PDB file of all heavy atoms in Angstrom:
ATOM      1  N   ASP A 251     -49.938   7.498  18.438  1.00 74.00           N
ATOM      2  CA  ASP A 251     -50.134   6.405  17.488  1.00 74.00           C
ATOM      3  C   ASP A 251     -49.387   5.163  17.975  1.00 74.00           C
ATOM      4  O   ASP A 251     -48.379   5.250  18.666  1.00 74.00           O
ATOM      5  CB  ASP A 251     -49.610   6.795  16.102  1.00 74.00           C
ATOM      6  CG  ASP A 251     -50.359   7.996  15.545  1.00 74.00           C
ATOM      7  OD1 ASP A 251     -51.524   8.176  15.944  1.00 74.00           O
ATOM      8  OD2 ASP A 251     -49.766   8.735  14.731  1.00 74.00           O
ATOM      9  N   SER A 252     -49.888   4.013  17.583  1.00 65.00           N
ATOM     10  CA  SER A 252     -49.224   2.771  17.983  1.00 65.00           C
ATOM     11  C   SER A 252     -47.906   2.638  17.241  1.00 65.00           C
ATOM     12  O   SER A 252     -47.678   3.257  16.205  1.00 65.00           O
ATOM     13  CB  SER A 252     -50.117   1.567  17.661  1.00 65.00           C
ATOM     14  OG  SER A 252     -50.387   1.522  16.277  1.00 65.00           O
ATOM     15  N   ILE A 253     -47.011   1.812  17.794  1.00 71.00           N
ATOM     16  CA  ILE A 253     -45.728   1.546  17.136  1.00 71.00           C
ATOM     17  C   ILE A 253     -45.997   0.922  15.771  1.00 71.00           C
ATOM     18  O   ILE A 253     -46.744  -0.042  15.643  1.00 71.00           O
ATOM     19  CB  ILE A 253     -44.864   0.600  17.983  1.00 71.00           C
ATOM     20  CG1 ILE A 253     -44.457   1.293  19.289  1.00 71.00           C
ATOM     21  CG2 ILE A 253     -43.631   0.163  17.223  1.00 71.00           C
ATOM     22  CD1 ILE A 253     -43.428   2.369  19.126  1.00 71.00           C
ATOM     23  N   ASP A 254     -45.396   1.501  14.745  1.00 76.00           N
ATOM     24  CA  ASP A 254     -45.571   1.025  13.376  1.00 76.00           C
ATOM     25  C   ASP A 254     -44.577  -0.090  13.083  1.00 76.00           C
ATOM     26  O   ASP A 254     -43.446  -0.060  13.591  1.00 76.00           O
ATOM     27  CB  ASP A 254     -45.353   2.197  12.407  1.00 76.00           C
ATOM     28  CG  ASP A 254     -45.737   1.859  10.981  1.00 76.00           C
ATOM     29  OD1 ASP A 254     -44.909   1.235  10.293  1.00 76.00           O
ATOM     30  OD2 ASP A 254     -46.848   2.226  10.568  1.00 76.00           O
ATOM     31  N   PRO A 255     -44.954  -1.099  12.282  1.00 82.00           N
ATOM     32  CA  PRO A 255     -43.989  -2.161  11.948  1.00 82.00           C
ATOM     33  C   PRO A 255     -42.719  -1.634  11.291  1.00 82.00           C
ATOM     34  O   PRO A 255     -41.671  -2.283  11.344  1.00 82.00           O
ATOM     35  CB  PRO A 255     -44.774  -3.049  10.977  1.00 82.00           C
ATOM     36  CG  PRO A 255     -46.213  -2.794  11.286  1.00 82.00           C
ATOM     37  CD  PRO A 255     -46.286  -1.367  11.720  1.00 82.00           C
ATOM     38  N   ARG A 256     -42.794  -0.451  10.672  1.00 85.00           N
ATOM     39  CA  ARG A 256     -41.611   0.110  10.014  1.00 85.00           C
ATOM     40  C   ARG A 256     -40.688   0.853  10.985  1.00 85.00           C
ATOM     41  O   ARG A 256     -39.583   1.235  10.621  1.00 85.00           O
ATOM     42  CB  ARG A 256     -42.031   1.063   8.894  1.00 85.00           C
ATOM     43  CG  ARG A 256     -42.756   0.383   7.742  1.00 85.00           C
ATOM     44  CD  ARG A 256     -43.033   1.353   6.601  1.00 85.00           C
ATOM     45  NE  ARG A 256     -43.905   2.447   6.992  1.00 85.00           N
ATOM     46  CZ  ARG A 256     -43.560   3.736   6.994  1.00 85.00           C
ATOM     47  NH1 ARG A 256     -42.341   4.094   6.625  1.00 85.00           N
ATOM     48  NH2 ARG A 256     -44.419   4.661   7.343  1.00 85.00           N
ATOM     49  N   ASP A 257     -41.135   1.087  12.209  1.00 89.00           N
ATOM     50  CA  ASP A 257     -40.298   1.803  13.172  1.00 89.00           C
ATOM     51  C   ASP A 257     -39.066   0.977  13.512  1.00 89.00           C
ATOM     52  O   ASP A 257     -39.157  -0.230  13.740  1.00 89.00           O
ATOM     53  CB  ASP A 257     -41.083   2.088  14.457  1.00 89.00           C
ATOM     54  CG  ASP A 257     -42.092   3.212  14.281  1.00 89.00           C
ATOM     55  OD1 ASP A 257     -41.806   4.144  13.511  1.00 89.00           O
ATOM     56  OD2 ASP A 257     -43.165   3.140  14.907  1.00 89.00           O
ATOM     57  N   PRO A 258     -37.883   1.599  13.553  1.00 89.00           N
ATOM     58  CA  PRO A 258     -36.665   0.847  13.871  1.00 89.00           C
ATOM     59  C   PRO A 258     -36.665   0.369  15.314  1.00 89.00           C
ATOM     60  O   PRO A 258     -37.287   0.994  16.191  1.00 89.00           O
ATOM     61  CB  PRO A 258     -35.551   1.869  13.624  1.00 89.00           C
ATOM     62  CG  PRO A 258     -36.200   3.201  13.739  1.00 89.00           C
ATOM     63  CD  PRO A 258     -37.613   3.027  13.272  1.00 89.00           C
ATOM     64  N   VAL A 259     -35.940  -0.714  15.565  1.00 86.00           N
ATOM     65  CA  VAL A 259     -35.928  -1.289  16.916  1.00 86.00           C
ATOM     66  C   VAL A 259     -35.304  -0.332  17.924  1.00 86.00           C
ATOM     67  O   VAL A 259     -35.628  -0.378  19.116  1.00 86.00           O
ATOM     68  CB  VAL A 259     -35.181  -2.632  16.941  1.00 86.00           C
ATOM     69  CG1 VAL A 259     -35.930  -3.680  16.148  1.00 86.00           C
ATOM     70  CG2 VAL A 259     -33.763  -2.493  16.392  1.00 86.00           C
ATOM     71  N   TRP A 260     -34.399   0.556  17.459  1.00 87.00           N
ATOM     72  CA  TRP A 260     -33.746   1.456  18.405  1.00 87.00           C
ATOM     73  C   TRP A 260     -34.688   2.528  18.946  1.00 87.00           C
ATOM     74  O   TRP A 260     -34.337   3.240  19.894  1.00 87.00           O
ATOM     75  CB  TRP A 260     -32.513   2.124  17.782  1.00 87.00           C
ATOM     76  CG  TRP A 260     -32.725   2.855  16.487  1.00 87.00           C
ATOM     77  CD1 TRP A 260     -32.416   2.422  15.246  1.00 87.00           C
ATOM     78  CD2 TRP A 260     -33.279   4.177  16.310  1.00 87.00           C
ATOM     79  NE1 TRP A 260     -32.729   3.378  14.295  1.00 87.00           N
ATOM     80  CE2 TRP A 260     -33.254   4.466  14.927  1.00 87.00           C
ATOM     81  CE3 TRP A 260     -33.768   5.140  17.192  1.00 87.00           C
ATOM     82  CZ2 TRP A 260     -33.718   5.666  14.399  1.00 87.00           C
ATOM     83  CZ3 TRP A 260     -34.237   6.340  16.670  1.00 87.00           C
ATOM     84  CH2 TRP A 260     -34.208   6.587  15.296  1.00 87.00           C
ATOM     85  N   ALA A 261     -35.880   2.656  18.348  1.00 86.00           N
ATOM     86  CA  ALA A 261     -36.808   3.713  18.764  1.00 86.00           C
ATOM     87  C   ALA A 261     -37.593   3.348  20.023  1.00 86.00           C
ATOM     88  O   ALA A 261     -38.539   4.044  20.387  1.00 86.00           O
ATOM     89  CB  ALA A 261     -37.775   4.040  17.624  1.00 86.00           C
ATOM     90  N   TRP A 262     -37.183   2.274  20.707  1.00 83.00           N
ATOM     91  CA  TRP A 262     -37.910   1.836  21.914  1.00 83.00           C
ATOM     92  C   TRP A 262     -37.985   2.920  22.987  1.00 83.00           C
ATOM     93  O   TRP A 262     -38.919   2.966  23.790  1.00 83.00           O
ATOM     94  CB  TRP A 262     -37.236   0.589  22.500  1.00 83.00           C
ATOM     95  CG  TRP A 262     -35.790   0.793  22.871  1.00 83.00           C
ATOM     96  CD1 TRP A 262     -34.704   0.554  22.091  1.00 83.00           C
ATOM     97  CD2 TRP A 262     -35.284   1.311  24.110  1.00 83.00           C
ATOM     98  NE1 TRP A 262     -33.539   0.880  22.746  1.00 83.00           N
ATOM     99  CE2 TRP A 262     -33.867   1.353  23.989  1.00 83.00           C
ATOM    100  CE3 TRP A 262     -35.868   1.751  25.301  1.00 83.00           C
ATOM    101  CZ2 TRP A 262     -33.039   1.803  25.014  1.00 83.00           C
ATOM    102  CZ3 TRP A 262     -35.042   2.201  26.326  1.00 83.00           C
ATOM    103  CH2 TRP A 262     -33.636   2.215  26.172  1.00 83.00           C
ATOM    104  N   TRP A 263     -36.978   3.821  23.024  1.00 84.00           N
ATOM    105  CA  TRP A 263     -36.936   4.821  24.085  1.00 84.00           C
ATOM    106  C   TRP A 263     -37.763   6.065  23.772  1.00 84.00           C
ATOM    107  O   TRP A 263     -37.827   6.987  24.598  1.00 84.00           O
ATOM    108  CB  TRP A 263     -35.484   5.231  24.367  1.00 84.00           C
ATOM    109  CG  TRP A 263     -34.696   5.578  23.134  1.00 84.00           C
ATOM    110  CD1 TRP A 263     -33.956   4.735  22.369  1.00 84.00           C
ATOM    111  CD2 TRP A 263     -34.597   6.867  22.515  1.00 84.00           C
ATOM    112  NE1 TRP A 263     -33.389   5.413  21.312  1.00 84.00           N
ATOM    113  CE2 TRP A 263     -33.754   6.722  21.385  1.00 84.00           C
ATOM    114  CE3 TRP A 263     -35.112   8.126  22.806  1.00 84.00           C
ATOM    115  CZ2 TRP A 263     -33.438   7.782  20.540  1.00 84.00           C
ATOM    116  CZ3 TRP A 263     -34.796   9.183  21.972  1.00 84.00           C
ATOM    117  CH2 TRP A 263     -33.968   8.999  20.847  1.00 84.00           C
ATOM    118  N   VAL A 264     -38.393   6.095  22.600  1.00 88.00           N
ATOM    119  CA  VAL A 264     -39.232   7.256  22.242  1.00 88.00           C
ATOM    120  C   VAL A 264     -40.591   7.060  22.895  1.00 88.00           C
ATOM    121  O   VAL A 264     -41.459   6.359  22.376  1.00 88.00           O
ATOM    122  CB  VAL A 264     -39.359   7.383  20.712  1.00 88.00           C
ATOM    123  CG1 VAL A 264     -40.148   8.636  20.362  1.00 88.00           C
ATOM    124  CG2 VAL A 264     -37.985   7.421  20.060  1.00 88.00           C
ATOM    125  N   ASN A 265     -40.775   7.659  24.054  1.00 90.00           N
ATOM    126  CA  ASN A 265     -41.983   7.423  24.840  1.00 90.00           C
ATOM    127  C   ASN A 265     -42.467   8.728  25.484  1.00 90.00           C
ATOM    128  O   ASN A 265     -41.950   9.807  25.205  1.00 90.00           O
ATOM    129  CB  ASN A 265     -41.717   6.356  25.914  1.00 90.00           C
ATOM    130  CG  ASN A 265     -40.499   6.702  26.772  1.00 90.00           C
ATOM    131  OD1 ASN A 265     -40.104   7.863  26.877  1.00 90.00           O
ATOM    132  ND2 ASN A 265     -39.903   5.699  27.387  1.00 90.00           N
ATOM    133  N   ASP A 266     -43.444   8.609  26.363  1.00 93.00           N
ATOM    134  CA  ASP A 266     -44.019   9.780  27.019  1.00 93.00           C
ATOM    135  C   ASP A 266     -42.970  10.540  27.828  1.00 93.00           C
ATOM    136  O   ASP A 266     -42.940  11.780  27.830  1.00 93.00           O
ATOM    137  CB  ASP A 266     -45.165   9.330  27.928  1.00 93.00           C
ATOM    138  CG  ASP A 266     -45.923  10.498  28.536  1.00 93.00           C
ATOM    139  OD1 ASP A 266     -45.927  11.588  27.931  1.00 93.00           O
ATOM    140  OD2 ASP A 266     -46.508  10.326  29.624  1.00 93.00           O
ATOM    141  N   ASN A 267     -42.090   9.809  28.499  1.00 93.00           N
ATOM    142  CA  ASN A 267     -41.017  10.424  29.273  1.00 93.00           C
ATOM    143  C   ASN A 267     -40.150  11.326  28.386  1.00 93.00           C
ATOM    144  O   ASN A 267     -39.853  12.480  28.730  1.00 93.00           O
ATOM    145  CB  ASN A 267     -40.172   9.304  29.892  1.00 93.00           C
ATOM    146  CG  ASN A 267     -39.118   9.805  30.857  1.00 93.00           C
ATOM    147  OD1 ASN A 267     -38.376   9.021  31.425  1.00 93.00           O
ATOM    148  ND2 ASN A 267     -39.034  11.105  31.072  1.00 93.00           N
ATOM    149  N   GLU A 268     -39.767  10.811  27.222  1.00 93.00           N
ATOM    150  CA  GLU A 268     -38.899  11.552  26.305  1.00 93.00           C
ATOM    151  C   GLU A 268     -39.576  12.839  25.812  1.00 93.00           C
ATOM    152  O   GLU A 268     -38.985  13.923  25.842  1.00 93.00           O
ATOM    153  CB  GLU A 268     -38.539  10.658  25.118  1.00 93.00           C
ATOM    154  CG  GLU A 268     -37.550  11.262  24.153  1.00 93.00           C
ATOM    155  CD  GLU A 268     -36.123  11.296  24.675  1.00 93.00           C
ATOM    156  OE1 GLU A 268     -35.843  10.635  25.685  1.00 93.00           O
ATOM    157  OE2 GLU A 268     -35.304  12.003  24.078  1.00 93.00           O
ATOM    158  N   ILE A 269     -40.809  12.707  25.351  1.00 95.00           N
ATOM    159  CA  ILE A 269     -41.505  13.875  24.797  1.00 95.00           C
ATOM    160  C   ILE A 269     -41.800  14.905  25.880  1.00 95.00           C
ATOM    161  O   ILE A 269     -41.642  16.114  25.675  1.00 95.00           O
ATOM    162  CB  ILE A 269     -42.811  13.441  24.097  1.00 95.00           C
ATOM    163  CG1 ILE A 269     -42.514  12.447  22.974  1.00 95.00           C
ATOM    164  CG2 ILE A 269     -43.544  14.659  23.534  1.00 95.00           C
ATOM    165  CD1 ILE A 269     -41.546  12.961  21.933  1.00 95.00           C
ATOM    166  N   THR A 270     -42.224  14.450  27.052  1.00 96.00           N
ATOM    167  CA  THR A 270     -42.525  15.373  28.154  1.00 96.00           C
ATOM    168  C   THR A 270     -41.289  16.173  28.544  1.00 96.00           C
ATOM    169  O   THR A 270     -41.357  17.390  28.779  1.00 96.00           O
ATOM    170  CB  THR A 270     -43.063  14.597  29.373  1.00 96.00           C
ATOM    171  OG1 THR A 270     -44.218  13.853  28.988  1.00 96.00           O
ATOM    172  CG2 THR A 270     -43.440  15.551  30.497  1.00 96.00           C
ATOM    173  N   GLY A 271     -40.152  15.496  28.612  1.00 97.00           N
ATOM    174  CA  GLY A 271     -38.910  16.194  28.942  1.00 97.00           C
ATOM    175  C   GLY A 271     -38.561  17.254  27.913  1.00 97.00           C
ATOM    176  O   GLY A 271     -38.157  18.375  28.271  1.00 97.00           O
ATOM    177  N   HIS A 272     -38.724  16.933  26.635  1.00 97.00           N
ATOM    178  CA  HIS A 272     -38.427  17.909  25.587  1.00 97.00           C
ATOM    179  C   HIS A 272     -39.411  19.078  25.627  1.00 97.00           C
ATOM    180  O   HIS A 272     -39.023  20.227  25.354  1.00 97.00           O
ATOM    181  CB  HIS A 272     -38.461  17.241  24.214  1.00 97.00           C
ATOM    182  CG  HIS A 272     -37.249  16.413  23.938  1.00 97.00           C
ATOM    183  ND1 HIS A 272     -35.980  16.963  23.838  1.00 97.00           N
ATOM    184  CD2 HIS A 272     -37.091  15.071  23.751  1.00 97.00           C
ATOM    185  CE1 HIS A 272     -35.109  15.993  23.584  1.00 97.00           C
ATOM    186  NE2 HIS A 272     -35.753  14.847  23.538  1.00 97.00           N
TER     187      HIS A 272
END
Side-chain angles (χ1 to χ4, degrees):
D251 298 333
S252 60
I253 294 287
D254 190 278
R256 295 185 298 117
D257 285 326
V259 293
W260 54 258
W262 59 268
W263 49 270
V264 184
N265 53 23
D266 186 26
N267 187 180
E268 185 74 13
I269 301 303
T270 303
H272 284 296

